[in-house]
Amino acid sequence: MLRMALPTGRVLKEAQRVLVAAGLEPAEDLFATRKLTVASRCGRVEYLLVKPVDAPLYVEQGVAECGISGKDTLMELGSDLLEPLDLGFARCRMVVAGKARLERKGDNLLSPVRIASKYPRVATNYFRKKGIPATVFKLSGSVEIGAVLGLSHYIVDIVETGTTLRENGLVVIEEIADCSARLVVNRAAYYARLPEVRALLQDLARATGATP
Amino acid sequence: MADRPSQFSFPPGTELVFGPQAQRRTRIDAALAAVIHGWGFDEIILPGFDSEQTFAGIDGLYGLVDREGNNLVLRADFTLLASKALAMELRREPRQIRATYEGRVYRFQPTGHGHRVEQTQRGLEWVNARGPVYDAACLMMARECLRACGINDAVIVVGHAGFVNAVLGEAGRAERRLLEALDHKNPSRIKVVAERIGLPQENIGLLETLPLLTGGHEVLRHAASLATTEPARRALADLEAIHRLVSECGGNDLLFDLGEVRQFDYYSGAMFKVYAPGVGEELGGGGRYDRLYDQFGLDIAAVGFGFNIARLAEAAPRDADMENQRQAVDAASPGALKAALAQRASGAGVAITGGA
């Protein structure tokens, strides 16, 4: 039996739909149960319900052989995992956003640009690669306020439709990456459990219409 | 003086092992050493630090400055260090060298992932070792090492630097994002990056297939039907020869992974990694590096492999552990030392305790 780390939260609903379509239906309703592990009806998979931000770690450490995780979380954690399948749901973009016309009044233009983000690692790496000095603040939510009220010049965050940005008078300045839910697999488990992992990949690929 | 909690803590990533677990590690190393010595290898003790240029190309070096202001780094890789040490010897007298080492390497690891910065390895260097018989011998030795530790469920995964190089071509090899995508076995990303850097369409098709070229011997045949270039065919013929030799010796359990790119810095031919169920990271690995001695003006074919002792200890069955047997002798009892010596003379373990 393969153990799969599933993120509770916004991704779970879509994940459950895909698992059912792949013939890997959980034996209990993932939203109703208070258990932390639930087997699939077919007995091939055991689901481990964990916080989205923890899912990659369980897989990286080999506690779960595989898992589902948003690309945004994977980018932020920098986990060393195989990522063989784009599941296609929970699509969003990781972007740099800010006010359309930014006045850095009183600023020395060579001083670091101030960035607020729930994704400090992504933000730091992005600006470092571009060669732009940046000071990154980690926020836990409502990142937009950072840019609106002047805590930061820009924010780095995920956007689905862009409504929240628009309502707060912010625009997308640059795109960093396309994000979606990914199937991640532990490196050792990929080889040590190859036939099972293969079969899982094929079933999920079929259910999502992706090529495995 | 009041205790400061920080007084007792070590930096993250350092290794601190005591008691049965440490003994287990020592036994594992002894088991590996016995196998490797049995194959005619001699011990080599290598420097713990060296100049930075020895480890050029390795990420996460730990630097130090000596009193004369020289920049030095802690040992980050055994093979690079050994090649430098052995090159001197080989320039004096060309011959085959079989050397085995044990010790720690140091590489920075980001915190929060549970990776260790300090890692203890036991491995070997087989220098002037041309031909698939040496590759196959390494695989058989690695298998014997695993058996000696009681690990019977590990898988050995074989790749080939020559094959990946041929498929990637010059342009692909230079593209870090493409290597990353291959390393993550992420076909959609491979396609996107390969198209963005303008690789030829037929290469892109093959690159996308690379993550699927993992499995038993059938993978080599599948790859042969896709490979068009001469270097790619040569690499596959090399793997066929190794597979044949290993099969003849009853080792028909090899897995192949032609999409393996991770190890590829100095490897030039067949390369392998060892994984065990339940241990998230590889237990060890190795391969062929025929171009490594070029930098010393030597044309020398070499192979080698190493195991991570802590991960072997994690994978090895627990019942192999035995508490050290020791008879307690009370330090306060008259003639305690004599009693202890008598125990020792009879060959038994002893521990003087208490008293003081």
Side-chain angles (χ1 to χ4, degrees):
Chain A
M1 194 189 271
L2 289 174
R3 199 175 279 162
M4 184 190 286
L6 288 183
T8 54
R10 76 185 179 102
V11 173
L12 189 60
K13 204 164 190 175
E14 282 282 303
Q16 181 161 262
R17 186 185 58 75
V18 166
L19 292 171
V20 170
L24 300 164
E25 187 183 347
E28 292 177 49
D29 182 354
L30 294 179
F31 290 92
T33 186
R34 303 188 67 171
K35 290 186 191 161
L36 297 174
T37 61
V38 175
S40 69
R41 282 193 199 286
C42 61
R44 284 164 58 200
V45 189
E46 181 183 46
Y47 299 111
L48 191 61
L49 293 163
V50 297
K51 286 244 180 204
V53 69
D54 295 338
L57 185 83
Y58 282 98
V59 183
E60 192 181 20
Q61 290 293 312
V63 174
E65 281 79 23
C66 56
I68 292 177
S69 177
K71 181 66 180 171
D72 53 329
T73 308
L74 293 172
M75 286 171 71
E76 178 59 21
L77 292 178
S79 308
D80 183 23
L81 294 167
L82 299 180
E83 203 186 301
L85 192 63
D86 185 342
L87 295 165
F89 58 84
R91 283 205 178 281
C92 56
R93 293 171 301 155
M94 179 77 73
V95 301
V96 182
K99 289 182 185 163
R101 210 167 298 140
L102 176 72
E103 288 172 38
R104 294 178 61 178
K105 240 185 291 176
D107 269 347
N108 175 351
L109 287 180
L110 288 178
S111 67
V113 22
R114 294 153 64 89
I115 311 291
S117 183
K118 276 183 281 185
Y119 302 91
R121 195 184 117 100
V122 173
T124 305
N125 287 346
Y126 182 73
F127 284 95
R128 185 186 294 150
K129 261 185 215 155
K130 292 188 68 117
I132 299 172
T135 305
V136 176
F137 305 91
K138 167 148 171 72
L139 294 182
S140 303
S142 310
V143 182
E144 294 80 7
I145 294 180
V148 174
L149 298 183
L151 168 70
S152 66
H153 298 121
Y154 300 108
I155 63 171
V156 167
D157 205 3
I158 49 170
V159 228
E160 277 173 80
T161 57
T163 313
T164 315
L165 286 185
R166 264 194 307 280
E167 285 177 356
N168 288 291
L170 302 176
V171 295
V172 171
I173 312 275
E174 279 173 38
E175 300 210 1
I176 299 178
D178 286 321
C179 296
S180 55
R182 309 292 164 94
L183 181 77
V184 291
V185 181
N186 174 276
R187 283 181 185 273
Y190 182 80
Y191 298 110
R193 311 281 294 271
L194 189 60
E196 287 167 273
V197 172
R198 266 281 150 75
L200 182 78
L201 270 173
Q202 273 161 7
D203 291 342
L204 286 173
R206 204 165 7 80
T208 55
T211 40
Chain B
M1 195 180 84
D3 286 345
R4 284 173 292 120
S6 65
Q7 194 181 354
F8 302 106
S9 73
F10 291 93
T14 43
E15 276 202 313
L16 179 60
V17 193
F18 179 60
Q21 275 184 35
Q23 258 150 34
R24 194 178 156 74
R25 294 256 301 255
T26 313
R27 272 199 298 275
I28 295 254
D29 179 57
L32 297 188
V35 171
I36 296 169
H37 294 158
W39 282 79
F41 284 71
D42 296 320
E43 285 290 330
I44 185 169
I45 297 172
L46 290 159
F49 52 88
D50 194 10
S51 68
E52 193 167 353
Q53 78 192 56
T54 303
F55 303 107
I58 292 188
D59 280 342
L61 296 176
Y62 273 83
L64 47 141
V65 181
D66 72 9
R67 289 181 175 206
E68 291 169 356
N70 299 308
N71 282 313
L72 301 168
V73 296
L74 291 181
R75 180 167 61 209
D77 184 272
F78 271 106
T79 294
L80 293 171
L81 204 55
S83 69
K84 176 174 159 180
L86 297 176
M88 258 186 284
E89 174 71 8
L90 288 161
R91 285 172 85 135
R92 201 172 57 77
E93 187 199 354
R95 63 191 169 95
Q96 188 181 81
I97 293 179
R98 294 177 301 275
T100 174
Y101 55 81
E102 183 273 337
R104 284 177 168 182
V105 293
Y106 300 82
R107 290 193 202 183
F108 174 78
Q109 303 287 346
T111 50
H113 295 261
H115 299 310
R116 276 173 281 234
V117 168
E118 290 188 285
Q119 310 222 0
T120 308
Q121 299 183 346
R122 159 73 68 179
L124 63 85
E125 299 295 324
W126 206 340
V127 184
N128 269 320
R130 201 174 291 281
V133 66
Y134 289 102
D135 301 271
C138 280
L139 294 170
M140 297 310 288
M141 283 170 76
R143 187 52 93 191
E144 191 180 330
C145 285
L146 291 164
R147 264 203 312 274
C149 303
I151 302 169
N152 297 312
D153 53 355
V155 288
I156 298 183
V157 187
V158 184
H160 202 290
F163 183 81
V164 181
N165 267 324
V167 176
L168 279 170
E170 287 287 336
R173 248 195 319 266
E175 185 52 61
R176 201 180 44 82
R177 285 172 304 170
L178 184 58
L179 294 177
E180 262 174 28
L182 283 164
D183 184 39
H184 291 143
K185 301 207 179 299
N186 181 344
S188 51
R189 177 81 182 148
I190 292 170
K191 187 163 193 241
V192 169
V193 178
E195 278 171 356
R196 205 177 290 162
I197 62 175
L199 290 187
Q201 200 55 49
E202 69 263 28
N203 283 29
I204 295 177
L206 187 50
L207 282 171
E208 265 187 290
T209 321
L210 274 186
L212 296 177
L213 293 177
T214 307
H217 181 233
E218 73 280 358
V219 164
L220 297 185
R221 229 168 305 135
H222 184 189
S225 70
L226 302 169
T228 50
T229 64
E230 188 46 37
R233 287 217 188 96
R234 260 204 313 277
L236 291 173
D238 191 27
L239 288 177
E240 282 287 357
I242 295 166
H243 175 258
R244 197 161 45 242
L245 286 165
V246 171
S247 301
E248 282 167 10
C249 305
N252 46 9
D253 52 355
L254 291 182
L255 276 185
F256 292 92
D257 179 6
L258 296 175
E260 165 67 48
V261 292
R262 160 143 328 184
Q263 287 175 291
F264 146 115
D265 338 335
Y266 48 68
Y267 289 99
S268 62
M271 46 194 189
F272 69 94
K273 281 188 178 182
V274 180
Y275 292 97
V279 182
E281 294 164 291
E282 75 255 24
L283 306 183
R288 170 168 293 283
Y289 27 89
D290 288 351
R291 301 269 63 91
L292 186 57
Y293 286 80
D294 289 5
Q295 56 179 319
F296 307 111
L298 294 164
D299 176 20
I300 284 177
V303 290
F305 68 81
F307 277 109
N308 182 312
I309 303 289
R311 292 184 200 151
L312 282 181
E314 224 180 300
R318 291 289 179 272
D319 56 27
D321 283 332
M322 322 164 284
E323 269 292 315
N324 280 1
Q325 296 296 319
R326 38 178 92 122
Q327 188 78 45
V329 173
D330 188 349
S333 68
L337 184 56
K338 271 194 178 159
L341 284 168
Q343 283 286 334
R344 291 301 303 132
S346 73
V350 71
I352 300 180
T353 58

